[in-house]
Amino acid sequence: MLRWLIGGGREPQGLAETGEKLLELNGHTQKITALITFPSLEACEEKNQLILTASSDRTVILWDCDTGRQVRKVSCFQSTVKCLIVLQRLDVWLSGGNDLCVWNRKLDLLCKTSHLSDTGISALIEIPKNCVVAAVGKELIIFQLVAPTEESLEWDILEIKRLLDHQDNILSLVNVNDLSFITGSHVGEMIIWDILDWTMQACECNFWDPSPQLDTQQEIKLCQKPNDISIHHFTWDEENVFAAVGRGLYVYNLQMKRVIACQKTAHDSSVLHVAKLPNRQLISCSEDGSVRIWELREKQQLAVEPVPTGFFNMWGFGRVNKQASQPIKKQQENATPCSLELIGDLIGHSSSVEMFLYFEDHGLVTCSADHLIILWKNGERESGLRSLKLFQKLEENGDLYLAV
């Protein structure tokens, strides 16, 4: 029996603030494969906080987070549902497995596609014009939802286009902004797509090596194993995309269209999840059980100094070899202008840390294969809050006198 722990409620309290377990949602019998919130309609008077969960037991359950009870359950799936997405404007939700299904709020099946592939849909995102993008193996498939009209009372889902530019299975698919979405594959390909016409804006087949000297196939063969270059997760801000690639972290600037910083061995095992923090900071977690905090810093540019060669030049004599200085110049041209510096390590888990949730005002919650959910607090911020509360208490008791 799998038990899913979650902190909910209308106010930002409970798990995110105190670490207290608010609810235990017990219903699935196998691994949870997808989780998503299901917002209430704006016109609806009842503002219940709902979530949808999918499992390897081939069921999807709709939960009420205020009470912890099951609202509805669907058990008619022919395969595991790997991803869920809610289209709030149309008040429907979609499930992705070996086929794509469209459901209403009552969990009635509205329409579905035919069997897509044995690998199934690994990721889904919403894009404009009532469309969604589905990652199916090496392919991206654009589907369009057709809502009921006076002429046709039935929902329909149409396949619009297939994008076949990836050479291996797509592992990550996310919206970056109103103009772009991004995909990453098992062999380290990263493609940025135009969200309106679905054309490629940028393609980096070996961006995990910011100073390429060999061709892509040679570089891939030099890696110890394919997982070393697999893109597991993306996050982003207005300027950059932050990618978890194998054991490393890479910062790709959207305007410059190049990697501006990297840590090739940020962890001892694959990086599973990354998130952007305030003040140019990044947090990552890994299969090795570690959670690390990084800071993006600009490097100071150093002047290029020619390198003397020959026996006498070792002691400061002789002429400078101009050819020897050229590789140094080339390396500096290819060098990244920024660096990712490790500024913190959160030690507490004994097994793979699968993911985390960051709450700016309340801290960080990490989830691990060791069955622990740990709440982490910002020590400096908490110390300041405790000092403030102490002064407020002294002032209330009349023990604090401020000199004018």
Side-chain angles (χ1 to χ4, degrees):
M1 181 68 69
L2 176 70
R3 293 182 177 179
W4 185 261
L5 308 180
I6 185 165
R10 292 191 178 90
E11 300 298 326
Q13 298 173 354
L15 184 60
E17 185 174 311
T18 66
E20 176 189 2
K21 182 178 72 176
L22 296 182
L23 297 169
E24 186 173 287
L25 307 183
N26 191 353
H28 289 295
T29 59
Q30 294 183 33
K31 177 182 176 181
I32 301 290
T33 54
L35 165 72
I36 194 169
T37 59
F38 200 168
S40 300
L41 292 173
E42 294 182 1
C44 183
E45 295 182 2
E46 296 184 5
K47 297 294 182 180
N48 291 344
Q49 192 166 7
L50 304 174
I51 64 168
L52 283 164
T53 58
S55 167
S56 297
D57 61 13
R58 298 186 180 183
T59 64
V60 170
I61 299 177
L62 179 66
W63 305 87
D64 187 331
C65 287
D66 293 331
T67 63
R69 68 180 181 86
Q70 291 187 26
V71 179
R72 290 181 181 86
K73 183 176 183 178
V74 180
S75 306
C76 60
F77 296 98
Q78 301 300 313
S79 64
T80 298
V81 173
K82 299 179 181 178
C83 49
L84 299 166
I85 185 173
V86 173
L87 307 186
Q88 190 172 6
R89 188 174 58 83
L90 298 176
D91 196 29
V92 297
W93 61 277
L94 282 65
S95 62
N98 287 352
D99 44 30
L100 182 64
C101 302
V102 183
W103 310 80
N104 64 14
R105 188 172 289 269
K106 296 179 180 179
L107 271 61
D108 299 322
L109 180 62
L110 301 177
C111 60
K112 62 181 292 188
T113 63
S114 57
H115 184 86
L116 293 171
S117 73
D118 292 333
T119 56
I121 300 173
S122 58
L124 279 169
I125 59 168
E126 181 182 7
I127 58 175
K129 303 177 183 178
N130 293 350
C131 292
V132 295
V133 183
V136 184
K138 303 177 184 180
E139 298 181 332
L140 289 175
I141 307 179
I142 311 295
F143 292 102
Q144 185 175 45
L145 270 67
V146 180
T149 61
E150 294 181 357
E151 298 177 355
S152 174
L153 301 178
E154 301 293 329
W155 284 83
D156 198 4
I157 185 164
L158 306 175
E159 180 180 321
I160 303 299
K161 190 172 184 178
R162 294 196 176 212
L163 307 175
L164 308 175
D165 297 272
H166 276 289
Q167 302 301 310
D168 208 336
N169 289 341
I170 298 166
L171 301 183
S172 43
L173 165 66
V174 293
N175 287 106
V176 177
N177 48 42
D178 294 337
L179 302 174
S180 310
F181 66 92
I182 188 169
T183 54
S185 80
H186 184 58
V187 293
E189 307 160 298
M190 183 181 75
I191 300 179
I192 301 174
W193 305 88
D194 188 287
I195 206 167
L196 296 176
D197 62 14
W198 318 319
T199 56
M200 281 194 295
Q201 294 181 337
C203 178
E204 297 288 344
C205 294
N206 58 342
F207 84 102
W208 37 269
D209 188 347
S211 55
Q213 296 176 355
L214 305 173
D215 63 54
T216 306
Q217 295 301 321
Q218 286 177 313
E219 288 179 336
I220 290 174
K221 290 177 182 177
L222 288 175
C223 293
Q224 293 182 351
K225 50 186 178 180
N227 285 340
D228 286 342
I229 56 173
S230 296
I231 303 178
H232 294 286
H233 193 243
F234 286 119
T235 189
W236 63 93
D237 60 15
E238 294 178 354
E239 300 177 2
N240 304 306
V241 171
F242 303 87
V245 185
R247 296 177 295 163
L249 294 171
Y250 294 77
V251 183
Y252 184 88
N253 186 272
L254 292 168
Q255 184 175 4
M256 298 170 63
K257 289 185 170 55
R258 60 169 291 200
V259 171
I260 62 169
C262 69
Q263 274 285 350
K264 292 186 179 181
T265 53
H267 292 266
D268 294 332
S269 299
S270 295
V271 182
L272 301 180
H273 199 83
V274 290
K276 179 72 173 61
L277 303 183
N279 303 320
R280 294 172 67 83
Q281 292 180 356
L282 184 72
I283 189 166
S284 60
C285 65
S286 167
E287 288 179 345
D288 61 18
S290 63
V291 181
R292 292 178 175 173
I293 303 174
W294 309 85
E295 186 172 84
L296 182 63
R297 298 174 182 172
E298 292 186 4
K299 291 180 181 177
Q300 294 184 355
Q301 298 297 325
L302 300 176
V304 177
E305 295 184 0
V307 179
T309 61
F311 176 79
F312 291 105
N313 289 337
M314 292 173 61
W315 304 97
F317 303 105
R319 295 183 178 180
V320 170
N321 187 325
K322 294 183 179 180
Q323 291 182 350
S325 66
Q326 290 178 356
I328 304 299
K329 291 180 180 180
K330 188 173 183 179
Q331 287 178 15
Q332 290 213 348
E333 288 175 0
N334 290 328
T336 55
C338 299
S339 63
L340 278 173
E341 301 295 333
L342 180 64
I343 61 172
D345 224 325
L346 307 182
I347 301 173
H349 289 290
S350 61
S351 188
S352 173
V353 181
E354 304 294 321
M355 65 169 294
F356 50 79
L357 295 172
Y358 173 69
F359 301 89
E360 187 170 353
D361 295 328
H362 304 294
L364 176 78
V365 180
T366 54
C367 309
S368 170
D370 60 13
H371 296 204
L372 286 179
I373 295 178
I374 299 180
L375 173 64
W376 307 85
K377 293 286 189 177
N378 184 316
E380 185 177 345
R381 182 177 183 276
E382 292 300 310
S383 178
L385 290 174
R386 284 194 296 269
S387 298
L388 181 61
K389 288 181 181 179
L390 175 60
F391 282 112
Q392 289 175 344
K393 190 68 174 179
L394 291 173
E395 188 175 14
E396 290 172 3
N397 294 338
D399 297 330
L400 182 64
Y401 298 95
L402 299 176
V404 179

